[in-house]
Amino acid sequence: MLVRENYLRQIRGFYNSDLVKILVGIRRCGKSVILEQIIDELKQKKIKSDHIININFEFVEYEDLKDYKKLNSYVKEKIIDDKLYYIFFDEIQNVDNFEVVVNSLRASLKNVSIFITGSNSKLLSEELSTVLSGRYVIFNIYPLSYSEYIELTNKDAYDIKVFWDYAKWGGLPNRCEFNDENNIKNYLHGVFDSIILRDVVIRLGLKDTTLFNMILQYLIDTTGREFSADNILKHLEREYKKISTETLYTYLDALCKSLLIKKVYRYDIHGKAVLKTLNKYYVTDLGIAQIKNNNSNFEDYIILENIVYNELLYKGYVVYIGKTKTGEVDFIAQKDGQNKYIQVTYEMKNEGTREREFNAFNGINDSYPKYIISLDDKDYSKDGVINLNLIDFLTKDEF
């Protein structure tokens, strides 16, 4: 089993905290495994099993506990002394009014440390933020990073075929069990269908899955481009799906809440403000994107751009599109009060490509570092702009 140290390192300081620990991420990205690894660490610290209450709401044996009052009673009956109890609720969004139970346990019992996971961002942010009033901490869990994928499969990170396998089929851990592409596709289709059924149709009440698929497919085919509602509406109309702008945004919101895609806002570098227009979308897992896209030109810089975006999130950055006076830089990565400006391209062997990528930084006059990330083996760094090999970027803890 791959120990996901990047996440455990973030969570360890909260093991004994009364803050509710929320692990949120797309289905099958490995949240349950991280809970198991936390439990293993607690047992290594001599925490007794009867002080660890672990409930996975996808297991049929806990079906009765989806009644929030029964769940509350079940947990309280297990707490029989004053020592600290560790409570794990896996895929808790399957419980109606779960936030009431979580808050009740946290408020009424002073000797509990609660961990919950879920696959729907709405359920794990808006409702909980209202009920818990800031008494929680969120950890975003992502599919395997490239370095985790390498560690799990024990492959050569610098083998370009290995890299493109990751780029094509993504980082959902269980897909690494399969070598045959048809098996990988079948697995990914199963994950995607479960997301639609459980996190969209049932939880969000959107029953037109054909429309949902069409909008997602359009966003995947146009990943990294400026978002335009008008363009999507025209595309749907050509496919005999005429909908209102309001309906479109309802489905876009559903896509984001199901964690299939992420919206990236623009940041005005000179005005130092986040802009709410001309945002872009990137996909959470490239494997699911692969089974839904219509783009035959797969080995494309946009795919690399998506990989860099996901890696920046994994490394703990807040990420924006950078607006300059004359254009944009692909990403501004912010952490610890510092910025990093990043361009992503396939390769820079062509002089025209090099000129375009370096010129993107024109007009950015502060001293924050500037990077061009590419698959080049040759280093084209100049004028203070660092050309960084993509695989080096993906395999190092920091850059």
Side-chain angles (χ1 to χ4, degrees), residues 45-139:
K45 294 179 181 292
K46 308 302 181 184
I47 303 299
K48 294 182 179 179
S49 295
D50 60 359
H51 281 65
I52 298 173
I53 302 169
N54 184 21
I55 301 172
N56 187 327
F57 292 101
E58 293 195 322
F59 292 176
V60 69
E61 53 262 44
Y62 298 116
E63 186 73 25
D64 289 346
L65 297 183
K66 290 181 181 179
D67 179 313
Y68 74 99
K69 291 182 180 179
K70 290 182 179 179
L71 175 61
N72 188 65
S73 298
Y74 174 86
V75 173
K76 285 194 170 182
E77 286 172 3
K78 287 188 170 293
I79 297 176
I80 58 175
D81 59 40
D82 294 331
K83 293 182 179 179
L84 187 61
Y85 284 76
Y86 299 87
I87 303 172
F88 298 85
F89 294 144
D90 200 0
E91 297 295 352
I92 198 171
Q93 78 273 0
N94 292 318
V95 180
D96 290 333
N97 296 317
F98 73 88
E99 64 275 10
V100 177
V101 180
V102 171
N103 189 54
S104 176
L105 293 172
R106 185 201 60 79
S108 63
L109 301 171
K110 304 304 180 184
N111 60 330
V112 294
S113 177
I114 301 173
F115 301 76
I116 67 178
T117 79
S119 305
N120 185 292
S121 63
K122 179 177 185 295
L123 289 173
L124 292 179
S125 58
E126 295 172 13
E127 279 100 335
L128 273 181
S129 64
T130 300
V131 175
L132 293 180
S133 302
R135 301 301 301 169
Y136 64 92
V137 57
I138 291 180
F139 302 95

Side-chain angles (χ1 to χ4, degrees), residues 170-182:
L172 294 182
N174 290 118
R175 80 89 172 163
C176 298
E177 298 174 9
F178 310 105
N179 294 316
D180 182 83
E181 287 200 352
N182 288 327

Side-chain angles (χ1 to χ4, degrees), residues 26-262:
I26 192 173
R27 286 187 180 274
R28 302 294 173 256
C29 72
K31 301 182 298 296
S32 299
V33 171
I34 293 173
L35 287 191
E36 291 174 13
Q37 292 175 355
I38 293 171
I39 291 170
D40 286 343
E41 290 195 356
L42 292 174
K43 289 179 177 179
Q44 291 171 17
K45 294 179 181 292
K46 308 302 181 184
I47 303 299
K48 294 182 179 179
S49 295
D50 60 359
H51 281 65
I52 298 173
I53 302 169
N54 184 21
I55 301 172
N56 187 327
F57 292 101
E58 293 195 322
F59 292 176
V60 69
E61 53 262 44
Y62 298 116
E63 186 73 25
D64 289 346
L65 297 183
K66 290 181 181 179
D67 179 313
Y68 74 99
K69 291 182 180 179
K70 290 182 179 179
L71 175 61
N72 188 65
S73 298
Y74 174 86
V75 173
K76 285 194 170 182
E77 286 172 3
K78 287 188 170 293
I79 297 176
I80 58 175
D81 59 40
D82 294 331
K83 293 182 179 179
L84 187 61
Y85 284 76
Y86 299 87
I87 303 172
F88 298 85
F89 294 144
D90 200 0
E91 297 295 352
I92 198 171
Q93 78 273 0
N94 292 318
V95 180
D96 290 333
N97 296 317
F98 73 88
E99 64 275 10
V100 177
V101 180
V102 171
N103 189 54
S104 176
L105 293 172
R106 185 201 60 79
S108 63
L109 301 171
K110 304 304 180 184
N111 60 330
V112 294
S113 177
I114 301 173
F115 301 76
I116 67 178
T117 79
S119 305
N120 185 292
S121 63
K122 179 177 185 295
L123 289 173
L124 292 179
S125 58
E126 295 172 13
E127 279 100 335
L128 273 181
S129 64
T130 300
V131 175
L132 293 180
S133 302
R135 301 301 301 169
Y136 64 92
V137 57
I138 291 180
F139 302 95
N140 290 301
I141 310 299
Y142 304 106
L144 299 177
S145 68
Y146 186 58
S147 59
E148 288 180 314
Y149 167 76
I150 293 299
E151 184 178 353
L152 179 63
T153 61
N154 198 31
K155 294 180 178 179
D156 179 1
Y158 287 86
D159 183 335
I160 199 64
K161 291 182 180 179
V162 171
F163 170 77
W164 284 115
D165 177 78
Y166 173 81
K168 184 174 185 179
W169 297 118
L172 294 182
N174 290 118
R175 80 89 172 163
C176 298
E177 298 174 9
F178 310 105
N179 294 316
D180 182 83
E181 287 200 352
N182 288 327
N183 291 338
I184 295 173
K185 288 179 183 178
N186 287 337
Y187 169 73
L188 292 172
H189 277 293
V191 174
F192 178 74
D193 290 346
S194 73
I195 291 170
I196 287 186
L197 176 62
R198 299 182 187 185
D199 296 332
V200 179
V201 174
I202 295 176
R203 288 290 162 190
L204 301 176
L206 303 181
K207 298 180 180 179
D208 191 342
T209 56
T210 300
L211 178 59
F212 183 91
N213 269 286
M214 291 172 69
I215 294 172
L216 174 61
Q217 190 166 308
Y218 181 88
L219 290 174
I220 288 172
D221 290 343
T222 59
T223 294
R225 299 182 195 171
E226 291 180 0
F227 169 74
S228 168
D230 287 342
N231 286 347
I232 296 183
L233 292 171
K234 290 176 183 176
H235 168 76
L236 293 172
E237 192 168 348
R238 288 193 295 270
E239 300 294 329
Y240 306 102
K241 277 282 187 180
K242 190 170 184 178
I243 63 170
S244 67
T245 303
E246 181 181 1
T247 299
L248 171 62
Y249 278 101
T250 297
Y251 277 78
L252 287 171
D253 187 55
L255 279 166
C256 290
K257 287 186 169 75
S258 67
L259 305 175
L260 283 166
I261 62 172
K262 290 186 179 295

Side-chain angles (χ1 to χ4, degrees), residues 325-382:
K325 289 181 177 179
T326 58
E328 70 175 34
V329 291
D330 290 333
F331 300 118
I332 302 176
Q334 297 182 341
K335 186 163 66 173
D336 300 329
Q338 303 293 312
N339 290 342
K340 292 179 179 179
Y341 301 111
I342 299 166
Q343 281 289 102
V344 183
T345 191
Y346 187 84
E347 60 184 15
M348 292 200 296
K349 294 177 182 178
N350 180 276
E351 186 175 346
T353 302
R354 292 198 298 275
E355 183 177 356
R356 182 188 69 231
E357 299 302 327
F358 280 97
N359 286 347
F361 300 109
N362 289 348
I364 302 177
N365 299 318
D366 59 46
S367 59
Y368 291 123
K370 303 174 181 67
Y371 297 89
I372 300 173
I373 299 177
S374 69
L375 281 170
D376 293 290
D377 293 325
K378 182 178 178 180
D379 186 351
Y380 291 99
S381 301
K382 69 173 186 177

